[in-house]
């Protein structure tokens, strides 16, 4: 009961600090909610549609005009301009007026070409697929007409033009909804960024304003009780925010998931692992400026090394090893394996244990944090 009373007193003290310092309200409520709404609304349609493309049609035949109409009919492509030459179409791509253009020279049956801009990876990749379909349709139409003229049956024509038919069944995300792929890692990554920073900032402010001795006195100099009391309110706020995010994306936006219990467990792991890393960063370098710099760097690198944009298995060996040191990587793997694809937690046991390890990291630096609060002098 004594420890519970001390934790309660420290939590009340922390509540006063959070109320008086508006940075906490901004970084723990306002900015995370804005980030969540920004990322989920930016890709609200799942895939970009009606992306502008151009056409250079020097053949100007019935076949070429039919190809242009088919291209314009695709969901992701919208023909917005016709250009008299390749040079002008390329200039339009370079000026970001269009993302790609279809070049139909004279003798379309032999020389149909398409150009796309990969400076924008998503639009370039999606439009490349539309352009490829159109080029295949064009060559296939000519081949079909030729084979009919030679007396081939429809079965023979289809066997020659399309010997293999792909029956595609996408699992977990059959709609190819990029919102499901990206928002489920970007938003938790931003949340972790704020948790990292606030966890280190909270300890740094105790040192900056020489409140460390007062904080420890409320816990009878028991640093574990002091940390539990200090971060109790933080944890409740972060958990409310994460649970709100999960309710929004999985219940309102209907992102695919297989287990509500796993979502709750993942939220707990995300919050406590991020807090553990933030406290560890401060304990490793008991300086407000240095600890927050390390937390910022680690959080930003997490987006690149988590494996959502580029697979970790395709990275250099050193980067693959380094990826194990980022909480977001393990969060993403547990989400992907257990929540999105529905496999049991046993399949992601190593990543689960790694997140537990991040939660326990402060244990190795608590004495250093206590010593810093009692003896260190703040240096800006």
């Amino acid at each position: 009961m004594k420890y519970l009373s001390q934790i309660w007193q420290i939590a009340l003290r922390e509540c006063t600090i959070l109320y008086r310092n508006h940075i906490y309200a901004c970084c723990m409520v306002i900015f995370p909610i804005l980030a969540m709404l920004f990322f989920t609304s930016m890709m609200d349609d799942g895939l970009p549609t009606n992306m502008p493309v151009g056409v250079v049609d020097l053949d100007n035949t019935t076949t070429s005009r039919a190809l242009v109409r088919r291209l314009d009919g695709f969901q992701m492509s919208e023909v917005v301009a016709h250009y008299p030459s390749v040079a002008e179409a390329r200039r339009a791509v370079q000026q970001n007026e269009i993302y790609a253009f279809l070049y139909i020279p004279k003798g379309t049956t032999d020389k149909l070409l398409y150009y796309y801009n990969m400076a924008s990876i998503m639009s370039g990749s999606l439009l490349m697929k539309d352009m490829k379909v159109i080029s295949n349709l064009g060559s296939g139409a000519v081949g079909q007409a030729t084979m009919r003229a030679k007396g081939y049956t429809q079965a023979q024509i289809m066997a020659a033009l399309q010997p293999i038919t792909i029956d595609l069944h996408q699992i977990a995300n059959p709609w190819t909804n990029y919102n499901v792929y990206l928002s489920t890692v970007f938003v938790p990554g931003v949340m972790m960024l704020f948790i990292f920073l606030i966890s280190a900032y909270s300890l740094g402010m105790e040192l900056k304003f020489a409140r460390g001795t007062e904080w420890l006195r409320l816990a009878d100099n028991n640093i574990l009780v002091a940390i539990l009391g200090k971060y109790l309110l933080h944890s409740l706020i972060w958990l409310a925010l994460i649970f709100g995010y999960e309710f929004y994306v999985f219940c309102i936006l209907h992102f695919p998931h297989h287990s509500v219990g796993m979502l709750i467990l993942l939220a707990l792991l995300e919050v406590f692992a991020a807090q553990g890393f933030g406290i560890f960063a401060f304990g490793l370098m008991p300086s407000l400026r240095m600890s927050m710099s390390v937390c910022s760097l680690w959080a930003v690198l997490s987006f690149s090394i988590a494996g959502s944009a580029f697979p970790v298995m395709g990275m250099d060996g050193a980067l693959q090893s380094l990826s194990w040191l980022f909480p977001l990587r393990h969060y993403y793997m547990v989400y992907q394996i257990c929540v999105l694809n529905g496999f049991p937690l046993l399949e992601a046991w190593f990543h689960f244990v790694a997140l537990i390890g991040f939660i326990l990291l402060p244990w190795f630096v608590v004495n250093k944090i206590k010593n810093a609060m009692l003896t260190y002098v703040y240096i800006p």
Side-chain angles (χ1 to χ4, degrees):
M1 290 300 294
K2 173 187 174 183
Y3 291 147
L4 291 178
S5 177
Q6 290 172 345
I7 290 173
W8 177 250
Q9 291 298 321
I10 296 171
L12 290 177
R13 171 181 178 271
E14 192 67 20
C15 183
T16 303
I17 293 174
L18 265 61
Y19 177 75
R20 290 177 178 175
N21 191 339
H22 298 303
I23 289 179
Y24 288 105
C26 293
C27 294
M28 297 182 75
V29 180
I30 298 174
F31 291 158
I33 290 177
L34 289 178
M36 177 181 66
L37 295 176
F38 171 76
F39 282 110
T40 53
S41 61
M42 181 175 65
M43 295 173 286
D44 185 48
D45 293 330
L47 280 174
T49 58
N50 295 327
M51 290 180 286
V53 299
V55 173
V56 179
D57 185 4
L58 301 183
D59 202 44
N60 198 25
T61 61
T62 303
T63 302
S64 66
R65 290 193 292 271
L67 291 177
V68 173
R69 286 195 298 271
R70 289 182 180 181
L71 177 62
D72 193 38
F74 287 157
Q75 181 182 10
M76 287 176 287
S77 304
E78 180 182 3
V79 177
V80 296
H82 288 71
Y83 299 96
S85 67
V86 173
E88 292 191 23
R90 184 183 293 114
R91 190 178 303 113
V93 171
Q94 293 169 344
Q95 294 175 351
N96 286 326
E97 296 176 2
I98 56 175
Y99 289 119
F101 67 90
L102 181 67
Y103 174 42
I104 309 177
K106 286 190 177 298
T108 299
T109 56
D110 300 321
K111 300 179 181 179
L112 180 63
L113 299 173
Y114 52 90
Y115 299 81
Y116 54 95
N117 184 6
M118 285 301 290
S120 178
I121 296 177
M122 181 182 294
S123 60
S125 300
L126 295 175
L127 289 177
M128 182 271 288
K129 183 175 69 174
D130 284 359
M131 297 287 187
K132 188 174 182 180
V133 170
I134 283 297
S135 64
N136 290 337
L137 287 175
S139 59
V142 174
Q144 188 179 40
T146 302
M147 295 176 76
R148 279 178 179 171
K150 292 181 178 181
Y152 287 88
T153 65
Q154 186 64 25
Q156 291 173 320
I157 293 172
M158 294 308 298
L161 294 179
Q162 195 175 21
I164 298 176
T165 303
I166 298 176
D167 188 11
L168 180 64
H169 297 274
Q170 297 183 130
I171 61 173
N173 186 8
W175 317 275
T176 319
N177 188 332
Y178 276 71
N179 207 1
V180 171
Y181 288 134
L182 299 179
S183 291
T184 49
V185 66
F186 283 168
V187 175
V190 172
M191 300 293 185
M192 282 190 174
L193 167 63
F194 286 117
I195 297 174
F196 286 174
L197 293 174
I198 289 297
S199 298
Y201 175 81
S202 182
L203 290 173
M205 293 302 286
E206 298 286 359
L207 186 62
K208 179 178 180 179
F209 293 108
R211 299 194 304 245
T213 52
E214 172 198 344
W215 171 46
L216 289 173
R217 188 172 62 251
L218 291 174
D220 287 339
N221 285 333
N222 188 327
I223 185 62
L224 293 178
V225 173
I227 287 180
L228 288 174
K230 186 171 189 61
Y231 288 99
L232 175 62
L233 184 58
H234 290 220
S235 300
L236 293 176
I237 294 174
W238 291 124
L239 285 173
L241 196 65
I242 299 299
F243 286 141
Y245 154 75
E246 289 184 345
F247 176 80
Y248 174 61
V249 298
F250 294 108
C251 297
I252 297 179
L253 299 183
H254 302 293
F255 283 16
H257 65 284
H258 287 83
S259 171
V260 175
M262 187 57 64
L263 287 174
I264 295 174
L265 175 61
L266 197 57
L268 294 171
L269 291 173
E270 176 187 357
V271 170
F272 294 139
Q275 284 184 318
F277 183 86
I279 297 170
F280 175 76
F282 181 85
L284 205 60
M285 290 168 287
S287 164
L288 177 63
R289 177 171 54 86
M290 289 300 298
S291 60
M292 291 188 68
S293 297
V294 170
C295 289
S296 300
L297 175 64
W298 221 248
V300 171
L301 289 177
S302 298
F303 292 102
S304 300
I305 211 164
S308 60
F310 187 85
V312 171
M313 65 185 68
M315 297 180 184
D316 186 73
L319 292 177
Q320 291 186 37
S321 301
L322 188 64
S323 68
W324 294 100
L325 303 179
F326 292 83
L328 184 60
R329 166 65 179 168
H330 302 291
Y331 168 90
Y332 175 65
M333 291 304 296
V334 174
Y335 163 77
Q336 192 179 53
I337 294 170
C338 301
V339 177
L340 185 62
N341 291 305
F343 292 104
L345 185 59
L346 186 63
E347 298 292 332
W349 71 270
F350 194 89
H351 300 285
F352 175 78
V353 171
L355 288 172
I356 297 295
F358 281 105
I359 295 174
L360 298 177
L361 276 180
W363 181 266
F364 299 100
V365 295
V366 288
N367 290 328
K368 193 172 181 180
I369 293 174
K370 179 180 179 180
N371 182 56
M373 294 299 167
L374 295 175
T375 62
Y376 281 26
V377 176
Y378 176 74
I379 300 176

